[in-house]
Structures are given as structure tokens and as C-alpha cells.
Amino acid sequence: MIPVKGCKGQKVAVLGLGRSGLSAARSLLAGGADVLCWDDNPAAREAAEAEGFDCVELRRSGDFEGVASLIVSPGIPHLYPAPNPVVRAALEAGVPVDNDIGLFFRSFADSTWHHFETLPRVVAVTGSNGKSTTAALIHHILTEAGRPSQLAGNIGRGVLDIDPAENGSVVVLELSSYQTELARSLTPDVAVFTNLSPDHLDRHGGMGGYFAAKRRLFSEGGPDRAVIGIDEPEGVFLAGQLSEGAADDRVIRVSVAQKLSGPGWQVFARKGFLSEYRKGRQAGSIDLRPIKGLPGAHNHQNACSAYAACRSLGLAPRVIEDAMHSFPGLPHRSQIVAEAGGVTFVNDSKATNVDAAVKALSAFKKIRWICGGLEKDGGLSALNDAAGGVVKAYVIGREAAGFAMQLDVAAEVCTTMAKAVERAMAEMQEGETVLLAPAAASFDQYDNFEQRGDDFLREVQARL
């Protein structure tokens, strides 16, 4: 646990008592704060009260008299589409609003660091797609290289639940836009921006607000090194804002769409080969094609970002390459779950938006595609441009018929996962891939994308 600093004797309120909220409450208590808690869910309040926390509803600005700050869990809106009433009351009372990420960055360092030969580092990864794989890959590479590493944030452990730092250790954080938009302190040593595509637009008031939430990771604290994917205009803009000139190697530009050149520091992948250039000369290369845990161009982008982050931490190219070969990949992210009769079954349930599904479709050929769910803003037109390898689509979800009508490929309305898997397996042929890449949220039928991916796996295994 990381006890929160600067709160001793203060009254601090915590809104939202899920994993991050309860973790924040415990760390605040360990730091000497007087903690008040609230969650609209009675079961969550009961769990907090069972640990000895006081639960108090705070809906009027007068309720915040004497409260030093409000700590908000990531899923709770503070501005768009409408602020939560408790957040609004805190802001009207002039009470600062923060989250567990802000508490972590202000509390992680302590006096023991003076005795370390090598200071601990924090690597923070954000972006629309690939941030989980990128963060997990960085952690894996560091661990394989013998560097003490902890994985936390939006993946792994809660950020305040990690162990105190040790000599030369690294904390790798995956941070969503919900986490970066509100944290009052954001000071990573290395910050990574994978890419940007439309997502969570209602929460951020549009694409500009979404990008602004991501950008805060780089603008608030000024990381020593910034790894920036520049295959979208926002990445190009961000890299330009952070750089003092073409030769400024504090910014490492990453691409899987183009060969990069110039006097700066670049990492790019073309036709399955990763290349690192620095000061106009090649400094490293990796053949990514035989690495089973990183299939497809989207995973090659993740590999480039992770490679750049690890190089900025001083790891040698060959050490990174060796570690990549043992990376197993993450569940629900281009995960090969079975192979039978010359057919490969791939679970990419994490492809919850159109851009992620496009990248999954681009990674395989002769696809029997299971898709559908709770459609997000922006429509599905981009899917049709990437569906050249699709033999047939099998559409699930409550609105499966409407989803199927927007596709320019042969499509069968299945509604349920069981029927979709049954029909795909009845029609599959040798050399094909049965791919779950929904291009939609899961909440119409499942609690989360993990449940959806697990359901796919169960249905496949039941028929093999």
C-alpha cells in the first residue's frame, strides 16, 4: 500500500466504492486522514462500512463544510454528459476534486529513496487502443530483464495497492482518459501515447475533450521522455508541442504507417519489421512476425511503443527482443484460444470500438467474424473498408439486425454468442480464422468485455 501524503488530520471524502475507491479510502486512512465515503449502491456502502468507514451522503454544497478534498472514482462523471450531484456540490463549495491517480503521484516518493543507487521510475501509458497490451508488454520486458516492476492502474493492481518502491524499480501504469482527465498530479518519468480514435465521446463532450483528457498526461508534469504514436493528427500535434525541434530526443515518435526519418529518435514498423533510428542512424531492429503474442499491425504498434519506452529506460535492443518472444499476450486482445482442423479461433473481445475492430480485421485473412453489441457513436462505415478478408459476419447483440444492415459483407443475424459460434463453426473451412472482434460495447448482454470473451471461449471449447 502507498499511504497518501499531505492529508494527516484532514477530512477527505471518497465518492465511488469500487476497487479504486476503496483502495483510495484505505490509503487515505493510512496517511492519517478522516475519511468519509459514499456510493449510490447500498451493497458498496455495506462493504465499506464493514471495513469501518463512515458513509455519508454529500449532495449539497453545505455538506462539504470542513472537507479538504473529494476523491472520485473513474466511472463517475464530473462534467459531461452531466456532473454527478456529489461532484457538483463539492465544486460549488470550492472543494478540490481529485482521484486515486493524483493521490499516487503526490505520495509515491518517500525519504527512503535517498538511499537508492538508482531512483525508481514511473512509466504511464494512455491512448485509445493498445494501452493494456503496451503496458503489460513493458512490464513483461522489464521483468524478463531482471528489473523490479509492478503493473497497476487500469490493469493489474490498484495504483495505491502496489508495494513501496525499491532500488531501481519501475511502476508501469495503464491510464484511461477517465483517470488522466481529473488527476491533479501527473508526473510520470516516461509517458506513452499509443493512438487516438473516437471513444467515450459523451463523457468528454466530443473528440476535442477526449484528446484534451489524454494530453494532460504530457502537459501537467512534463515527463522526461514522451513516446508518441504519430499515425493520427492528434499524435503529430502532441509530438510537435512537446518537442523543441527535430533533433529533440526527449520525444520518441512511433509509427506503423510510415518510415520515419530525421535527426530525432524514431521507432517504426513496416511489413513486420521494427526499426529504431536515432540521430539519423539505425540503432536497433526486430523481426516481429514470429512473435505469437503480438499478431497484426496493431500489435506491432504496441511493440514499437513498448520498445521505445524500454529503450528510454536503458534496456538493450537484444534484451527487449528476447523478452518479446516470451510475451503470452493478454486475454481478450487478439488472443488465440484454440486451433483445430486448420482453423484458428481468436478472442478480441476488447475490440469495443470500430478502430480496434478494424485493426483486428487487418491482422487476419479469411475471417468468419463475430461482431455486434452496444453500438458507439460514429457509425460503422470504417469497418467496411477493412472487411475485405471477411468471408461472413455473424452478428450478436440486442440490436443485431440494425448492426448487420450497416455491413457490406454477407451477414447473419445470430443475436446470441452461442448461435454465432455454432453457425461460424458449422460453415468454417480449413485456413480460416473465427474472430470475435465486436466493434461495440458489451453492456447490452454482458457486464463487461471480459464476460463476453469468456462466453466466446466456452462456446468454442464446447464444440471442439
Side-chain angles (χ1 to χ4, degrees):
M1 177 190 292
I2 306 297
V4 176
K5 293 182 174 62
C7 64
K8 189 174 183 179
Q10 295 182 351
K11 186 181 293 185
V12 180
V14 176
L15 176 63
L17 297 172
R19 185 186 74 161
S20 67
L22 270 178
S23 173
R26 297 181 191 114
S27 294
L28 285 161
L29 186 64
D34 178 12
V35 183
L36 304 177
C37 296
W38 183 253
D39 193 299
D40 290 338
N41 184 343
R45 295 198 299 270
E46 288 178 10
E49 288 170 343
E51 292 193 30
F53 292 109
D54 293 329
C55 288
V56 179
E57 188 172 7
L58 305 165
R59 289 185 175 269
R60 300 169 299 176
S61 58
D63 294 334
F64 279 90
E65 184 175 353
V67 174
S69 61
L70 172 67
I71 308 304
V72 179
S73 294
I76 298 173
H78 64 279
L79 185 57
Y80 301 115
N84 179 279
V86 177
V87 177
R88 182 173 60 242
L91 294 173
E92 289 174 351
V95 172
V97 177
D98 203 348
N99 62 15
D100 62 330
I101 304 302
L103 297 180
F104 166 79
F105 276 111
R106 86 183 201 197
S107 306
F108 184 46
D110 60 39
S111 59
T112 64
W113 289 27
H114 296 302
H115 306 293
F116 293 157
E117 293 181 5
T118 303
L119 287 177
R121 310 290 293 279
V122 176
V123 178
V125 181
T126 195
S128 296
N129 299 307
K131 56 185 179 292
S132 296
T133 298
T134 300
L137 181 55
I138 294 169
H139 171 65
H140 175 80
I141 293 168
L142 289 166
T143 302
E144 291 293 298
R147 290 282 295 271
S149 177
Q150 299 184 78
L151 183 63
N154 211 36
I155 187 175
R157 303 166 71 181
V159 68
L160 291 169
D161 288 333
I162 67 171
D163 300 325
E166 56 183 286
N167 182 50
S169 64
V170 181
V171 174
V172 184
L173 302 179
E174 181 206 335
L175 299 181
S176 71
S177 56
Y178 290 5
Q179 293 167 311
T180 57
E181 70 174 343
L182 198 57
R184 295 176 69 88
S185 178
L186 284 167
T187 54
D189 299 286
V190 180
V192 179
F193 177 86
T194 59
N195 51 56
L196 196 78
S197 61
D199 207 359
H200 311 303
L201 299 188
D202 58 337
R203 170 65 178 260
H204 298 294
M207 197 66 180
Y210 179 48
F211 176 53
K214 300 288 189 184
R215 182 182 174 277
R216 290 190 75 247
L217 181 62
F218 304 84
S219 61
E220 291 299 306
D224 295 335
R225 281 260 159 65
V227 176
I228 309 293
I230 60 167
D231 288 339
E232 293 85 29
E234 292 86 355
V236 175
F237 177 78
L238 181 59
Q241 280 200 313
L242 297 173
S243 175
E244 294 295 331
D248 187 354
D249 67 0
R250 294 174 303 170
V251 176
I252 308 176
R253 291 169 170 83
V254 168
S255 176
V256 291
Q258 58 187 308
K259 178 179 179 179
L260 303 179
S261 60
W265 198 348
Q266 299 99 13
V267 178
F268 60 90
R270 296 187 71 194
K271 298 181 179 179
F273 288 88
L274 178 152
S275 297
E276 175 193 4
Y277 277 78
R278 194 169 186 182
K279 298 180 180 178
R281 303 183 66 177
Q282 188 167 11
S285 65
I286 298 175
D287 183 356
L288 299 171
R289 296 172 300 172
I291 301 176
K292 288 189 175 182
L294 297 168
H298 61 303
N299 274 311
H300 294 173
Q301 183 182 57
N302 300 333
C304 287
S305 296
Y307 176 96
C310 290
R311 289 287 285 140
S312 72
L313 293 171
L315 272 64
R318 293 286 77 82
V319 171
I320 298 172
E321 180 178 8
D322 290 344
M324 283 184 174
H325 279 279
S326 62
F327 180 63
L330 290 180
H332 314 295
R333 296 161 176 88
S334 294
Q335 178 192 16
I336 297 175
V337 296
E339 294 178 292
V343 177
T344 302
F345 298 84
V346 178
N347 168 20
D348 203 343
S349 183
K350 185 62 171 66
T352 58
N353 59 46
V354 168
D355 186 66
V358 165
K359 290 175 178 177
L361 290 172
S362 300
F364 306 98
K365 299 177 180 178
K366 297 182 180 179
I367 301 166
R368 295 199 178 270
W369 176 31
I370 299 175
C371 58
L374 190 62
E375 187 179 339
K376 295 185 176 181
D377 293 340
L380 306 178
S381 59
L383 289 172
N384 294 317
D385 296 333
V390 174
V391 178
K392 185 175 178 180
Y394 305 83
V395 188
I396 64 174
R398 288 204 304 251
E399 304 297 328
F403 196 102
M405 289 179 63
Q406 299 181 63
L407 302 178
D408 290 342
V409 298
E412 180 176 341
V413 175
C414 297
T415 307
T416 66
M417 184 68 74
K419 185 176 179 181
V421 172
E422 177 187 4
R423 294 295 300 135
M425 293 183 72
E427 298 180 343
M428 68 187 187
Q429 298 180 23
E430 185 177 351
E432 294 181 341
T433 297
V434 176
L435 170 66
L436 171 64
S442 59
F443 305 123
D444 59 333
Q445 293 181 309
Y446 303 94
D447 289 341
N448 49 55
F449 71 85
E450 291 96 342
Q451 282 190 5
R452 178 171 59 189
D454 290 340
D455 193 17
F456 171 72
L457 176 59
R458 280 192 300 270
E459 294 297 337
V460 169
Q461 290 178 334
R463 291 169 171 80
L464 288 179

